[in-house]
């Protein structure tokens, strides 16, 4: 990784780049002027560096709800994979490529991974499992690499916290527009963000203590502490009992076969909840689900659901705290304008705002 990722090399790379971007015509990659979107900006070096760590990949491999759903999706979509050509975008350890070859009986799998250390690990693991005749590991960014042929299936695990953190979906859409045959299959093929108001009773009690600490009113300390703790969206495991209302759909990316490249820069959604009980609304929790299968037929859709009631995953849930603990009654309507906007300083991250 060092030779490709040193800052000097990065600059050289950018000048002569054939990097595909959203908005580029296939085969016209050098014409950056037509680009509507690029992800080789600030934050990218840190992004790929974070994936140059075996423990990050071990965490993902040990997330059985995650791996298990991909395997179930491969088995449920066998007719799309068997004897077909598969592209794994962001192969990491090569797990999805190997599952597609071993359990999906794919004819050929191209496992594309940007991080050199991981690509070489994937190569070793493919060999160890005797899959080298069918799985080819290609080191490079999907936006840069050339494949020997177009593919029938694109499989990728691109989801970040609250679905879109990391902005990796854009790379998958670039891959789709360039390498997926007409009528080819995206795995996953749908993605949605859900939202629900949540309580945070231990935190509320902790902050409230400052308004009467041994008979003294120290509430400004509590307020400052609350502001400090809740400045950033928090990734945490929400127990289902903390939900104050049934979840509602905040963002539906729709069919990933047709989602426009560049279509994930910004989302805005007016959401309304009806509280199921009285309590104190502390924030809005977000999570996602993705579906595997042709949406039009919908019968064999396998879902990865990261909601608070589902088996826990490493994504957990993400809470945007309101900075207050708003008392609510049962049956009350709570409305909020939710915005997720790719950060200008680091397009790998989103600024999330919740206006109530
Ligand atoms: N597919 C693996 C790894 C998922 S993590 C698994 O399911 O366990 C995402 C991986 O995609 C990381 O290893 C990251 O380095 C890689 N990646 C992200 N963007 C990429 C891009 N544009 N081109 C190639 N690899 C990319």
């Amino acid at each position: 990784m060092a030779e490709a990722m040193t800052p000097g090399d990065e600059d050289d790379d950018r000048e002569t780049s054939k990097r595909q971007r959203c908005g580029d015509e296939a085969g016209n990659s050098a014409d950056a002027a037509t680009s509507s979107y690029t992800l080789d900006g600030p934050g990218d070096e840190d992004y790929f560096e974070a994936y140059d760590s075996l423990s990050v990949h071990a965490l993902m491999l040990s997330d059985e709800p995650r791996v298990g759903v991909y395997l179930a999706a491969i088995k449920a979509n066998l007719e799309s994979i068997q004897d077909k050509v598969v592209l794994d975008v962001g192969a990491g350890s090569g797990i999805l490529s190997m599952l597609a070859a071993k359990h999906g009986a794919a004819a050929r799998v191209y496992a594309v991974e940007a991080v050199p250390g991981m690509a070489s690990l994937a190569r070793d693991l493919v060999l160890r499992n005797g899959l080298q005749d069918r799985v080819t590991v290609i080191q490079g960014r999907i936006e840069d690499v050339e494949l020997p042929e177009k593919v029938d299936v694109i499989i990728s695990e691109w989801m970040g916290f609250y679905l879109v953190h990391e902005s990796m979906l854009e790379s998958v859409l670039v891959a789709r527009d360039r390498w997926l045959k007409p009528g080819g299959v995206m795995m996953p093929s749908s993605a949605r963000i859900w939202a629900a108001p949540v309580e945070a009773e231990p935190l509320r009690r902790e902050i409230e203590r400052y308004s009467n600490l041994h008979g003294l009113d120290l509430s400004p300390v509590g307020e400052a502490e609350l502001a400090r703790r809740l400045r950033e969206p928090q990734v945490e495991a929400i127990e289902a009992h903390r939900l104050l209302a049934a979840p509602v759909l905040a963002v539906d990316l729709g069919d990933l076969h047709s989602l426009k490249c560049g279509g994930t820069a910004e989302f805005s959604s007016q959401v309304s909840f009806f509280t199921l009980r009285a309590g104190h609304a502390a924030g809005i929790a977000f999570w996602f689900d993705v579906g595997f299968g042709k949406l039009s037929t919908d019968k064999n859709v396998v879902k990865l659901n990261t909601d608070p009631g589902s088996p826990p995953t490493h994504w957990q849930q993400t809470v945007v705290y309101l900075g207050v603990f708003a008392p609510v009654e049962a049956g009350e309507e709570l409305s909020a304008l939710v915005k997720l906007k790719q950060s200008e300083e680091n397009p790998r991250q989103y600024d999330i705002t919740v206006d109530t």
Side-chain angles (χ1 to χ4, degrees):
M1 156 158 203
E3 81 282 3
M5 299 299 285
T6 53
D9 282 1
E10 267 288 287
D11 287 348
D12 292 346
D13 184 37
R14 247 172 251 170
E15 263 169 48
T16 55
S17 179
K18 294 260 187 295
R19 184 159 294 161
Q20 284 288 319
R21 298 175 169 119
C22 281
D24 286 348
E25 294 290 320
N28 185 27
S29 57
D31 185 5
T34 63
S35 161
S36 62
Y37 186 87
T38 172
L39 256 189
D40 50 3
D44 260 22
E45 232 172 293
D46 291 348
Y47 173 71
F48 286 111
E49 212 171 289
Y51 276 117
D52 193 12
S53 151
L54 204 54
S55 62
V56 168
H57 291 271
L59 174 77
M60 293 188 288
L61 292 172
S62 64
D63 183 340
E64 186 49 31
R66 184 192 84 104
V67 178
V69 161
Y70 273 86
L71 176 58
I74 286 169
K75 289 181 171 170
N77 289 278
L78 261 194
E79 83 283 359
S80 304
I81 299 174
Q82 198 158 16
D83 301 324
K84 299 282 173 51
V85 183
V86 176
L87 166 60
D88 177 3
V89 177
S93 62
I95 177 73
L96 304 183
S97 297
M98 291 188 282
L99 290 178
K102 192 176 172 81
H103 298 287
R108 286 181 295 289
V109 185
Y110 297 105
V112 177
E113 171 55 46
V115 175
M118 284 307 130
S120 108
L121 172 74
R123 253 179 228 121
D124 290 349
L125 297 180
V126 166
L127 257 181
R128 173 177 283 264
N129 286 282
L131 294 167
Q132 66 277 15
D133 293 341
R134 286 185 292 142
V135 180
T136 306
V137 178
I138 300 172
Q139 190 267 311
R141 291 199 199 186
I142 191 67
E143 292 86 346
D144 302 341
V145 301
E146 292 293 328
L147 301 183
E149 60 185 320
K150 295 224 171 188
V151 304
D152 302 290
V153 178
I154 290 183
I155 195 165
S156 182
E157 199 280 80
W158 50 264
M159 296 84 74
F161 298 128
Y162 58 85
L163 185 69
V164 288
H165 185 76
E166 298 182 31
S167 301
M168 188 181 157
L169 177 56
E170 288 299 334
S171 299
V172 178
L173 298 182
V174 168
R176 178 200 66 191
D177 291 350
R178 194 155 175 230
W179 296 112
L180 191 63
K181 289 180 194 167
V185 174
M186 296 288 284
M187 297 182 74
S189 53
S190 65
R192 303 181 292 187
I193 303 177
W194 294 86
V198 287
E199 287 190 315
E201 290 301 275
L203 180 65
R204 183 174 72 85
R205 282 192 291 271
E206 186 189 326
I207 299 298
E208 273 192 4
R209 256 189 91 229
Y210 286 99
S211 60
N212 183 358
L213 199 76
H214 305 302
L216 301 171
D217 178 4
L218 308 181
S219 41
V221 179
E223 282 154 25
E225 185 60 8
L226 186 64
R228 185 185 70 77
R229 300 259 294 268
L230 308 182
R231 206 170 290 139
E232 302 274 315
Q234 305 286 310
V235 175
E236 47 184 279
I238 302 284
E239 294 143 317
H241 70 79
R242 286 180 59 190
L243 300 187
L244 279 169
V248 302
L249 196 56
V251 176
D252 188 352
L253 292 182
D255 187 345
L256 301 184
H257 295 95
S258 51
L259 176 67
K260 236 173 99 68
C261 208
T264 63
E266 195 171 347
F267 307 98
S268 149
S269 171
Q270 182 73 42
V271 290
S272 287
F273 309 99
F274 289 92
T275 51
L276 295 167
R277 59 179 173 84
H280 290 90
I284 307 287
F286 296 93
W287 61 84
F288 65 86
D289 63 18
V290 295
F292 299 78
K294 296 242 180 200
L295 294 187
S296 46
T297 54
D298 228 32
K299 61 176 180 356
N300 274 334
V301 172
V302 172
K303 272 214 171 84
L304 171 61
N305 197 337
T306 64
D307 76 347
S310 291
T313 67
H314 76 282
W315 287 287
Q316 305 182 76
Q317 290 82 33
T318 300
V319 184
V320 174
Y321 281 94
L322 303 172
V324 292
F325 300 96
V328 296
E329 295 302 325
E332 217 175 286
E333 181 175 4
L334 303 178
S335 294
L337 178 64
V338 173
K339 284 189 184 156
L340 292 97
K341 188 174 183 307
Q342 215 164 30
S343 150
E344 273 161 28
E345 295 89 71
N346 182 353
R348 293 286 178 184
Q349 300 176 357
Y350 280 73
D351 299 323
I352 311 178
T353 54
V354 172
D355 291 320
T356 51

